[in-house]
Amino acid sequence: MIFSVDNVVLIVSLLLFISIIAGKTSYRSGIPVLVLFLGVGMIFGHDGFGLEFSSPVVAQFIGVLALNSILFSGGMDTKYHEIKPVIAPGVVLATLGVLLTALITGFFIFLLTRHVFTSITFSLLGAMLLASVMSSTDSASVFAILGSKGLTLKERLRPLLELESGSNDPMAYLLTIIFIQWLQVGANSFWTIAGMLAVQLLFGAALGYVFGRIAVKIINKINLDNESLYPVLMLALLYIVFSATNALHGNGYLAVYISGLVIGNTKFVHKKTTKKFMDGLAWLFQIVMFLTLGLLVNPTELLPIAGIGLTISLFMIFVSRPLAVWLCLLPFRKMSVKAKHYVSWVGLRGAAPILFATYPWTEGVEHAQTIFNIVFFVTLVSLLVQGTTVPVVARWLNLAGANKPVKKLSSFDVEMSDDIKSSMSEIMVTEDHLSGGKRIMDMPIPEKTLVVMIKRGELYFVPKGSTQLDVGDILLVISDNDRALGEVQAETDVKNA
């Protein structure tokens, strides 16, 4: 089947719909949702239902837009007070850790193709390029898997992993570009490469911070008549940050993440709405990006590289990633051995490595399509092996904390600002609640808790203390006493079960 103006909207809509439905099953099966998105793309691609898509340029363009949105949204959702204690190990892992992973894996690939899988032969530079493409952990995968599992981790591991994955893509991107140039133009001196890395990273971080501050001032001062335009304005600023930073010879990906971090930890108008919009957009882009990359690969082309792909995958999971992590975390003696093991395990590959694998392809590097197929295979293995076991390994290592599920409002479509420390919840009135009387004042409601609204059938109304309650009424309550309110809510859930 060939894409045309007549059918492209229907095809894209169907793929999105099928991906979302497939993603719903991931919570039951334990398979990471991103694998299912890739799978849908492969099923509908050339070797499946016959959708013809073979443009790495288009895939790269979509991937760049998507990765920017994902990094920005991840930065906005990251709380500075949570990552502050782990900034040092996070930055070391995001820079030196990526470099060590690339070097160790690159030498292994070079030796592997020289002495074992001789049908595929990479030069040392070619092997380093392939390893560089795969050297970072993927932010989309880490954010999605940790978020969907609702996992609470000890020793500040979650903010560390999210900081590393959100900030290490720029290093992998730089290494990829450097080795592509090295292969095509010739070797640069060590100091030239070191200078390029330093300028890109320092400029990227500095410009990200500056642009983030400027963006907050613009949003707070512009006073738009239509409130719906604020998220759109934020989206425009996001891509301005990326493009302007690249034009100024900084790293756009790092700038986008830093600006998201700055903006997300600063007060600005319509913050809740904007964050929800960016989160939804990030999920849309994740689906589109994984679908696109799934369509780009032909499963039949993965079979010839399955042997080398599986070998590289296992080496990265059990050797190069752990070795790089342990070397990077040697100075941080307060981190337990179990925590270092866990950081080593959560080295998830994902869409970012596959996206970076399109750069050798578009630049016409030798063995570029083989590189793409190997990276795709390694990503699948990583998501299936590591992605499905993130909670299990945390429990094995006794690093999983007690989950604190957030009780989402279902009957009242209201939210409070993050600056307000009180919490909202819903309570369904039962016979037991009315055993001491049918008025609100007779309800066993904790101190510092208010019933602000009642839903009775399709009717919503604001109550008074003397309001008579019926079984089945749903109360919207606001409280400063989270623990006591949680106990009341838990009792209600048990009685309603």
Side-chain angles (χ1 to χ4, degrees), residues 89 92-93 95-98 100 323-332:
V92 172
L93 287 170
T95 52
L96 181 60
V98 172
L100 289 174
L323 186 56
V325 168
W326 278 82
L327 289 173
C328 288
L329 296 181
L330 276 177
F332 305 100

Side-chain angles (χ1 to χ4, degrees), residues 367-384:
H367 302 310
Q369 194 157 357
T370 301
I371 290 175
F372 181 86
N373 290 333
I374 291 175
V375 172
F376 194 96
F377 190 94
V378 169
T379 297
L380 280 179
V381 174
S382 174
L383 288 173
L384 288 172

Side-chain angles (χ1 to χ4, degrees), residues 75-76 116 144 181 251 295-296 313 339 369 379 417-418 438 443:
M76 285 191 72
V116 182
Q181 293 176 349
N251 187 280
L295 287 169
L296 189 60
S313 299
Q369 194 157 357
T379 297
S417 168
D418 291 334
K438 292 190 174 183
M443 280 275 291

Side-chain angles (χ1 to χ4, degrees), residues 197-268:
L197 287 171
V199 168
Q200 286 264 317
L201 294 176
L202 291 175
F203 272 36
L207 291 172
Y209 178 82
V210 171
F211 284 140
R213 289 295 183 189
I214 293 173
V216 171
K217 289 185 179 296
I218 291 173
I219 292 168
N220 284 333
K221 296 290 185 182
I222 197 168
N223 193 23
L224 296 174
D225 293 331
N226 191 336
E227 296 178 0
S228 302
L229 290 176
Y230 281 94
V232 180
L233 174 62
M234 184 68 80
L235 182 63
L237 292 171
L238 151 63
Y239 290 114
I240 288 173
V241 170
F242 176 74
S243 303
T245 302
N246 282 340
L248 295 172
H249 305 291
N251 187 280
Y253 293 116
L254 181 59
V256 163
Y257 179 74
I258 297 296
S259 64
L261 185 64
V262 169
I263 293 170
N265 286 274
T266 309
K267 294 180 181 179
F268 61 91

Side-chain angles (χ1 to χ4, degrees), residues 185-440:
V185 180
N188 291 313
S189 69
F190 169 80
W191 294 112
T192 300
I193 295 174
M196 184 187 303
L197 287 171
V199 168
Q200 286 264 317
L201 294 176
L202 291 175
F203 272 36
L207 291 172
Y209 178 82
V210 171
F211 284 140
R213 289 295 183 189
I214 293 173
V216 171
K217 289 185 179 296
I218 291 173
I219 292 168
N220 284 333
K221 296 290 185 182
I222 197 168
N223 193 23
L224 296 174
D225 293 331
N226 191 336
E227 296 178 0
S228 302
L229 290 176
Y230 281 94
V232 180
L233 174 62
M234 184 68 80
L235 182 63
L237 292 171
L238 151 63
Y239 290 114
I240 288 173
V241 170
F242 176 74
S243 303
T245 302
N246 282 340
L248 295 172
H249 305 291
N251 187 280
Y253 293 116
L254 181 59
V256 163
Y257 179 74
I258 297 296
S259 64
L261 185 64
V262 169
I263 293 170
N265 286 274
T266 309
K267 294 180 181 179
F268 61 91
V269 295
H270 306 295
K271 183 174 182 178
K272 201 85 172 181
T273 303
T274 302
K275 288 183 69 174
K276 183 172 287 189
F277 172 85
M278 295 306 303
D279 187 52
L281 187 68
W283 268 106
L284 173 62
F285 268 129
Q286 284 188 61
I287 296 172
V288 172
M289 178 167 59
F290 275 80
L291 277 174
T292 303
L293 296 173
L295 287 169
L296 189 60
V297 73
N298 297 322
T300 54
E301 295 178 358
L302 298 180
L303 295 176
I305 56 88
I308 186 173
L310 183 60
T311 306
I312 294 173
S313 299
L314 297 177
F315 182 82
M316 294 190 74
I317 292 172
F318 294 106
V319 181
S320 62
R321 164 71 178 179
L323 186 56
V325 168
W326 278 82
L327 289 173
C328 288
L329 296 181
L330 276 177
F332 305 100
R333 300 182 183 278
K334 291 184 179 180
M335 185 176 292
S336 70
V337 171
K338 290 181 178 180
K340 293 176 182 178
H341 279 310
Y342 192 71
V343 173
S344 301
W345 185 254
V346 190
L348 297 166
R349 314 299 143 181
I354 303 175
L355 168 61
F356 295 155
T358 64
Y359 283 89
W361 197 347
T362 57
E363 294 297 325
V365 173
E366 186 181 8
H367 302 310
Q369 194 157 357
T370 301
I371 290 175
F372 181 86
N373 290 333
I374 291 175
V375 172
F376 194 96
F377 190 94
V378 169
T379 297
L380 280 179
V381 174
S382 174
L383 288 173
L384 288 172
V385 174
Q386 295 167 286
T388 56
T389 56
V390 166
V392 175
V393 174
R395 288 193 291 270
W396 282 351
L397 295 173
N398 195 28
L399 293 170
N403 283 345
K404 299 178 181 179
V406 178
K407 185 69 176 179
K408 296 181 180 179
L409 302 182
S410 57
S411 299
F412 300 90
D413 188 14
V414 292
E415 288 184 338
M416 290 193 299
S417 168
D418 291 334
D419 299 324
I420 300 175
K421 301 307 178 185
S422 300
S423 60
M424 289 192 295
S425 186
E426 295 177 357
I427 296 177
M428 178 176 286
V429 178
T430 65
E431 292 282 1
D432 292 330
H433 289 140
L434 304 180
S435 59
K438 292 190 174 183
R439 298 173 302 173
I440 286 183

Side-chain angles (χ1 to χ4, degrees), residues 61-284:
F61 176 73
I62 293 172
V64 168
L65 294 179
L67 187 57
N68 273 285
S69 176
I70 293 165
L71 289 173
F72 187 79
S73 179
M76 285 191 72
D77 290 336
T78 301
K79 301 293 187 292
Y80 180 71
H81 70 271
E82 293 180 353
I83 66 168
K84 185 177 179 180
V86 296
I87 285 180
V91 171
V92 172
L93 287 170
T95 52
L96 181 60
V98 172
L99 179 61
L100 289 174
T101 301
L103 294 176
I104 296 168
T105 307
F107 278 115
F108 175 75
I109 293 172
F110 174 69
L111 296 174
L112 188 68
T113 59
R114 291 284 172 171
H115 301 291
V116 182
F117 295 97
T118 54
S119 59
I120 305 173
T121 304
F122 285 105
S123 66
L124 182 58
L125 287 179
M128 288 296 173
L129 172 59
L130 172 55
S132 297
V133 168
M134 302 182 293
S135 57
S136 66
T137 58
D138 184 66
S139 55
S141 303
V142 172
F143 292 154
I145 290 174
L146 290 180
S148 65
K149 302 299 181 184
L151 194 61
T152 302
L153 298 171
K154 300 176 183 177
E155 297 193 39
R156 303 185 188 274
L157 284 175
R158 179 161 179 163
L160 173 62
L161 293 167
E162 291 183 343
L163 173 61
E164 180 203 5
S165 65
S167 59
N168 67 3
D169 288 335
M171 188 66 176
Y173 170 76
L174 289 174
L175 291 175
T176 300
I177 299 302
I178 286 171
F179 280 110
I180 289 175
Q181 293 176 349
W182 205 337
L183 281 165
Q184 293 182 325
V185 180
N188 291 313
S189 69
F190 169 80
W191 294 112
T192 300
I193 295 174
M196 184 187 303
L197 287 171
V199 168
Q200 286 264 317
L201 294 176
L202 291 175
F203 272 36
L207 291 172
Y209 178 82
V210 171
F211 284 140
R213 289 295 183 189
I214 293 173
V216 171
K217 289 185 179 296
I218 291 173
I219 292 168
N220 284 333
K221 296 290 185 182
I222 197 168
N223 193 23
L224 296 174
D225 293 331
N226 191 336
E227 296 178 0
S228 302
L229 290 176
Y230 281 94
V232 180
L233 174 62
M234 184 68 80
L235 182 63
L237 292 171
L238 151 63
Y239 290 114
I240 288 173
V241 170
F242 176 74
S243 303
T245 302
N246 282 340
L248 295 172
H249 305 291
N251 187 280
Y253 293 116
L254 181 59
V256 163
Y257 179 74
I258 297 296
S259 64
L261 185 64
V262 169
I263 293 170
N265 286 274
T266 309
K267 294 180 181 179
F268 61 91
V269 295
H270 306 295
K271 183 174 182 178
K272 201 85 172 181
T273 303
T274 302
K275 288 183 69 174
K276 183 172 287 189
F277 172 85
M278 295 306 303
D279 187 52
L281 187 68
W283 268 106
L284 173 62

